[in-house]
Amino acid sequence: MIILGIETSCDETAASVVKDGRIIMSNIIASSAEIFEEYGGVVPEIASRKHVEFILPVIDKAIKLAGIQKDEIDAVAVTQGPGLVGALLIGITAAKALAAALDIPLIPVNHLKGHIAANYLTHTDLEPPFVCLLVSGGHTNILDIKGYNDILNIGGTRDDAVGEAYDKVGRVMGLVYPGGPKIDKMALEGDSEAISFPRTKFKDNPFDFSFSGLKTAVINYIHSKEQKNEEYSKEDIAASFQKAVTDVLVENVFETRSKKIVVAGGVAANRGLREALNKRAEKEKVEVYFPIIQLCTDNAAMIASAAYYINEDDFDINADPSLEM
Ligand code: KG4
Ligand code: ZN
């Protein structure tokens, strides 16, 4: 079964052809992220306009690179939400037009299910059940994945998502958007024990997170150093912040006692998180899976893969910016 996936939930215009949910035949991404560097974050209206510009060439390129004819596509899959409504609508409109023209099913996909499926593309034998640590720019959750479409949310952030905290801290440190990957790199040069930042733990749900206190602590640290005209090391801040984040992520996901942990979302690319999870997993004989780095952040291959396991198609879908899992 050949599925063409389309993803436009944020600032990446992406299309991909995937065979049987597991084999990537092509994976094209046109990103407008560079434009947003100067704005310090995604501007929804500009993102939508860029999607309009990119969507048709990106789809054409994905089909061409896969080496197939349009009539070989069995279904079109598209991100329905969560995401920016205007951005989502561009992908959905293109997907509907293509599915109608080819007279094939249109499969709506939850973006978060897509992030999980990035692991099905990376580890072709991986199957549920497992526990998923979903860490992206908009979400931070621990999910009990009982089946491909049987997913229970057992914990999540009560304020900022982890990627969001990275990007906000990055902005205060003077790094261009998105700050996450830059902090990850800077952390390599710093001392993770140099500054003691807070770790939040909830008694009523050991799987819940909070990152806004940590974010504020970093911002206060920087402001207080600047007010006193004192020198400080950005590398130490990056390393100490990253250690505080990864300590909490690792601790909470290991609270599940699951023997199979799958990490998904943009922050799954984080070097510190990979190292910390692998170390703990080795000690406790737990299997840990990450997507390959290129599939951690937004792409359409993950959408096409997730769609392979969804049995419902719906031609009348609308964008749902706050779609639940
Ligand atoms: O999953 P994603 O592409 O988009 C959403 O669905 O949100 O995640 C983007 C987020 C951004 O906040 C970005 O800073 C973060 O993932 N990110 C990272 C790294 N690479 C991307 N955060 C920390 N370390 C990284 N290496
Ligand atoms: Zn995403």
Side-chain angles (χ1 to χ4, degrees):
M1 179 157 180
I2 292 181
I3 299 182
L4 173 85
I6 296 174
E7 151 67 37
T8 61
S9 68
C10 192
D11 55 351
E12 263 93 30
T13 315
S16 165
V17 178
V18 171
K19 194 177 167 199
D20 297 334
R22 300 276 177 165
I23 302 154
I24 298 177
M25 298 173 74
S26 66
N27 187 24
I28 307 296
I29 304 172
S31 178
S32 53
E34 262 180 35
I35 300 170
F36 302 118
E37 285 183 356
E38 62 175 303
Y39 293 95
V42 177
V43 182
E45 181 57 30
I46 300 177
S48 300
R49 275 188 249 162
K50 284 290 152 189
H51 286 310
V52 172
E53 191 181 321
F54 292 150
I55 189 76
L56 293 180
V58 163
I59 292 172
D60 272 345
K61 209 167 163 187
I63 295 171
K64 205 173 269 167
L65 204 77
I68 56 163
Q69 300 299 317
K70 283 197 182 78
D71 61 8
E72 289 177 75
I73 303 168
D74 296 303
V76 178
V78 66
T79 304
Q80 183 179 17
L84 304 168
V85 68
L88 289 164
L89 276 170
I90 313 296
I92 291 174
T93 308
K96 276 189 185 177
L98 193 62
L102 297 172
D103 195 20
I104 53 175
L106 177 68
I107 306 171
V109 178
N110 184 308
H111 181 78
L112 306 176
K113 256 190 200 173
H115 274 301
I116 300 164
N119 283 284
Y120 301 142
L121 294 164
T122 304
H123 313 283
T124 46
D125 294 329
L126 176 68
E127 285 182 346
F130 52 78
V131 158
C132 176
L133 174 66
L134 177 76
V135 277
S136 74
H139 292 81
T140 303
N141 293 90
I142 296 182
L143 305 165
D144 185 5
I145 315 280
K146 299 165 189 287
Y148 288 103
N149 297 301
D150 185 2
I151 299 172
L152 189 69
N153 182 18
I154 57 173
T157 181
R158 298 193 183 181
D159 40 61
D160 290 355
V162 60
E164 187 184 356
Y166 263 97
D167 297 339
K168 285 178 180 167
V169 165
R171 201 181 315 170
V172 180
M173 289 170 71
L175 307 170
V176 294
Y177 173 85
K182 284 133 205 151
I183 292 178
D184 190 14
K185 221 167 165 186
M186 279 176 94
L188 271 178
E189 312 292 326
D191 174 5
S192 64
E193 307 294 333
I195 310 155
S196 142
F197 288 130
R199 282 112 168 113
T200 306
K201 184 96 190 138
F202 293 103
K203 282 210 178 84
D204 55 337
N205 187 350
F207 312 127
D208 272 359
F209 302 96
S210 164
F211 294 106
S212 82
L214 168 61
K215 172 196 70 188
T216 308
V218 177
I219 294 171
N220 288 346
Y221 178 87
I222 295 173
H223 285 170
S224 120
K225 288 282 174 193
E226 281 173 353
Q227 269 165 6
K228 290 186 221 152
N229 253 329
E230 284 176 13
E231 297 263 321
Y232 61 90
S233 155
K234 282 191 178 178
E235 287 75 14
D236 284 353
I237 295 174
S240 302
F241 166 73
Q242 179 143 304
K243 180 74 170 36
V245 169
T246 51
D247 275 358
V248 172
L249 292 174
V250 172
E251 182 56 36
N252 288 16
V253 75
F254 271 83
E255 286 269 8
T256 64
R257 307 260 176 267
S258 171
K259 287 288 166 197
K260 202 170 172 187
I261 294 170
V262 172
V263 191
V267 185
N270 187 268
R271 183 199 48 84
L273 179 61
R274 285 177 177 242
E275 237 176 65
L277 273 174
N278 280 330
K279 201 167 147 196
R280 176 93 179 249
E282 203 179 316
K283 220 162 73 190
E284 298 193 21
K285 308 255 175 306
V286 167
E287 287 177 69
V288 181
Y289 297 85
F290 298 90
I292 53 165
I293 300 284
Q294 300 92 300
L295 293 178
C296 286
T297 42
D298 293 348
N299 64 86
M302 68 186 200
I303 301 303
S305 170
Y308 179 77
Y309 299 98
I310 297 172
N311 288 323
E312 292 150 41
D313 61 284
D314 181 4
F315 196 77
D316 294 321
I317 58 160
N318 204 346
D320 187 343
S322 46
L323 186 65
E324 305 253 339
M325 181 59 97

